[in-house]
Amino acid sequence: MCSLLRGEEMCLAQLFLQSGSAYDCINELGELGLVEFRDLNPGVNAFQRKHVNEIKKCEEMERILGKDILIFNIHMCYHHNYYCSYVHYHWVYVCVCSQEQLQRLEVELGEVTRNKEKLQRNLLELTEYTHMLRTTRNFVQRTSEVSYEEFPFLEKDTLMDYSSMQRLGAKLGFISGLIQRTKIEAFERMLWRVCKGYTILSYAEVEEYLEDPDTGEPTKSVVFLISYWGDQIGQKVKKICDCYHCHLYPYPSSNEERTDVVEGLRTRIQDLHTVLHRTDDYLKQVLMKASESVYTWVIQVKKMKAIYFILNLCSFDVTNKCLIAEVWCPVNDIPTLRRALEEGSRKSGATVPSFVNRIPTNDTPPTLIRTNKFTSGFQNIVDAYGVGNYREVNPAPFTIITFPFLFAVMFGDLGHGVIMALFALWMVLYENNRKLKNTRNEIWNTFFEGRYIILMMGLFSIYTGLIYNDCFSKSLNIFGSGWSVKAMFEAKVWKDADIRGNRVLTLDPNVTGVFRGPYPLGIDPIWNLASNRLTFLNSYKMKMSVILGVIHMSFGVILSTYNYLHFRKKHSLYLVFLPELLFLLCLFGYLVFMIFYKWLVFTAKDSRLAPSILIHFINMFLMQGDGVQPLYPGQTGLQVFLVVIAVLSVPVLLLGKPVYLYWLHNGSHRLGMYRGYERVRRNSEEELYLMRAHDMEEGSSHSDLSTSGERQTEEFDFADEFLHQAIHTIEYCLGCVSNTASYLRLWALSLAHAQLSEVLWTMVMRVGLRMDTSLGVFFLVPVFGLFAVLTVSILLVMEGLSAFLHALRLHWVEFQNKFYSGTGVKFCPFSFSLLPSSFEHDGLL
Amino acid sequence: MRGLICGPKLAACGIVLSTWGVIMLAMLGIFFTTHSAVLIEDVPFTDQDIHQDINPPQRIYALYNQVGYNCFIAAAFYILFGFFSCCQMKLNKRKVSSFFCVAFF
């Protein structure tokens, strides 16, 4: 109960998990996010843990799947990557799950890809052949101009005819093919050296880049034609060609053969293109279907890795059959924990169930505060300063109201408040919109997480805007002003000549009818037209800041009583809380009293004689009451009394607690001896035990989870305690003064905001409104646009952030240092939904 | 898509700006035509208008009314601007949905 005020009660529990069902039980716990696991093997480093291999495998899979998703998202059309992803699917199949679907997919993909590769290779070879034929035709046509004596061409167009060659008794052979451009020179030299002029090599480069059938890379190739003479030379040439990895293609012996081959090649290439295209489409379809399940695989791998990590934290028991895990668990969730373990055992089909056992401990548990979507924002800004100690009072529920209120005091504009509230309302109404929730933009996420805070700030700003009567720097006259100018004329104080002769005139509220009573809600709108507006508002806002500050700080001091009572430190109540409160109230509470007194007692009639509160306050400390007229009878006496109380409370605060604790520890020994006498007399063990328990309680914190056992054996260090208390006293007393002054920032920022707003209106809007000319009316449109943009950027964003920061500082420092220590540890349950995903960081999910 | 000039974010800004403009300029127009005293500094009056008025304060009132009508005209313009932004937003939405259709087939 009271989780938001104080945090949940936590306990340490031991889980006994059967080896077979450990994985499933931890899976169940991960789904529920109930408990935080403690590391039972702190001395072991990451590489010596039991399940390190499984974790390595999981990380490998994550990496592969990450590449997969990248491939899908970006390179959908690239055939080579299809092959790579096929390989990766194989991996996943082996390691993750043996689903039938996956098996079938794997077989299918394998076949299709293999076929496709064969076809592609064919295509490349045919393309090369075509190029080769085209290029060699040019050779023949070129060389036909030169005639060799021994081998005269029979006709211009016919090529070497084998029959005619045989007639000549010489065997002229041709080898043609393609070779990489980088190798052609070496090839030529080798041919020359080996064959010594019995070969003729002609070559030409292919202009386009052709894809190499083996490696798939685009390379520059050279078409060559070797004419050789003799069989043995032919063998040598063939061997050399093999050496240089040439692609050899049969050389057509006649022109008709050549044209036939070219035709045949063209049709074949066309057919191959069609088939490849169809294969591509089919592969794309299959992989699209598979890609839908990639994301589930990613999640499964994530979960597996997390579970193995947790299994590494557990230790084996003596019999080596059972895993023991120590967890921090909220006391209210123990039944749920039991049910989860039963569920896990049932899923894994274990015969012996796993169970949970609560164990006592002296360690301080982590702090768990359950929040909903509304309170989580406020809890976050409190936690940003420091997570509370276990079962310490949580400032968050109070922050829900005080933070927007202090923001609004500094922001105080009706129009701006409306815009801010509408913006926050839009975010709240569309909070379930996926696009808004899952953007990658950090700044937007910060605003979105704080949408309820911004909504509260906007609503409170509307309220303070009404109080300050400020809407885009203009006042609203809702109820009718309480001041009347006509009454000055009716009372014959002013004449017409006065209007012409003077630039500024003062309305005198003492004249009848001029001041008809205070404005019902907020500041009277007439002040917007007054030239001494700031003088009036400054006085009002400064006093208001001090009042709010003293109330806020007193509230903080009072909250500390909750902690003292809960942790059974009643002595702190009398020795720390009481002097603190007296010091604060006697000095600054009295100042607040004087402010109210002056407001209520002194009217317009006494305004000439109204005393300055500041002078009275200073005189209070200097004990000089004679120079000025007292505010009320008995003032000097009361002030002396208050100062004396405040001054006396300082040594009590300084020495009270250390001395009391010293007396408690040393005095109790003496008392113990005295009680020992009594024991001899009474002879009752039980009474002695009860007395000792009572003693223990006096000097200790909450019995379940404190180090009370240690306290008893440990020596009470008076010097340490005294130093601690001295620092606390100095901090508190000086802090009272400086923190009260610090609250004056409420005045300063609201003044700055009002002035900025007024400057913006005067410099921007007024220029547009005062336009006289007939075209000037259209000037108002861009002027308003500029006014809107500047309002949002300067007044809403800049001033809003500034007021937010200062309100936050007032909470963190001035309010929380009165009662909050914030040195606790946050409860981080093991939950799958809280796992960081490396994919999210890379922007892939 | 014909007529698509700005993206979705710019169109949204346009809608917000024109809503604000319509509301605020309309209210300003109403306050000017009811001769609100707080807005006196925004009315382009001269010394002549105050001191040499035959029938005070009718000249000031006339000036007030003039500024009020200016505000109403500007508000009307912002209505048109809002309409334009709405159209742009609709075109953007249609473009996005057709893009999705293409991607699936």
Side-chain angles (χ1 to χ4, degrees), chain A residues 56 68 169 198 265 282 411 507 556 635 657 710 766 826:
Chain A
K56 272 194 200 153
D68 255 359
Y198 284 94
L265 279 179
Y282 177 67
F411 198 67
L507 285 169
Q635 185 192 7
K657 189 167 149 192
E710 291 171 26
R766 189 163 292 173
K826 196 161 177 177

Side-chain angles (χ1 to χ4, degrees), chain A residues 119-240:
Chain A
L119 289 173
Q120 265 177 333
R121 204 185 292 254
N122 272 355
L123 178 66
L124 285 169
E125 285 174 0
L126 293 178
T127 326
E128 280 189 345
Y129 197 4
T130 325
H131 277 290
M132 190 217 80
L133 288 174
R134 218 185 316 140
T135 326
T136 48
R137 186 159 24 116
N138 294 343
F139 288 167
V140 177
Q141 281 174 350
R142 234 187 320 128
T143 54
S144 64
E145 282 141 36
V146 180
S147 53
Y148 294 115
E149 285 169 25
E150 291 102 303
F151 309 106
F153 282 69
L154 299 173
E155 283 151 8
K156 242 198 175 169
D157 284 351
T158 54
L159 300 170
M160 296 299 125
D161 196 350
Y162 280 132
S163 49
S164 55
M165 286 308 102
Q166 275 168 359
R167 251 186 284 126
L168 292 166
K171 286 210 185 100
L172 187 67
F174 292 93
I175 289 186
S176 59
L178 282 94
I179 186 177
Q180 283 185 14
R181 199 218 356 222
T182 42
K183 297 187 188 166
I184 184 67
E185 276 148 27
F187 184 60
E188 194 177 356
R189 246 178 282 140
M190 179 67 85
L191 264 183
W192 174 254
R193 286 208 187 109
V194 172
C195 306
K196 293 193 187 51
Y198 284 94
T199 57
I200 297 175
L201 169 73
S202 26
Y203 59 88
E205 198 173 307
V206 179
E207 298 88 33
E208 303 128 24
Y209 277 91
L210 292 176
E211 271 184 55
D212 190 359
D214 297 320
T215 57
E217 286 165 13
T219 46
K220 270 279 192 177
S221 305
V222 167
V223 172
F224 65 88
L225 176 66
I226 304 175
S227 28
Y228 61 87
W229 178 30
D231 231 350
Q232 279 182 343
I233 303 285
Q235 308 268 4
K236 285 191 194 157
V237 172
K238 283 212 183 70
K239 282 216 185 91
I240 296 173

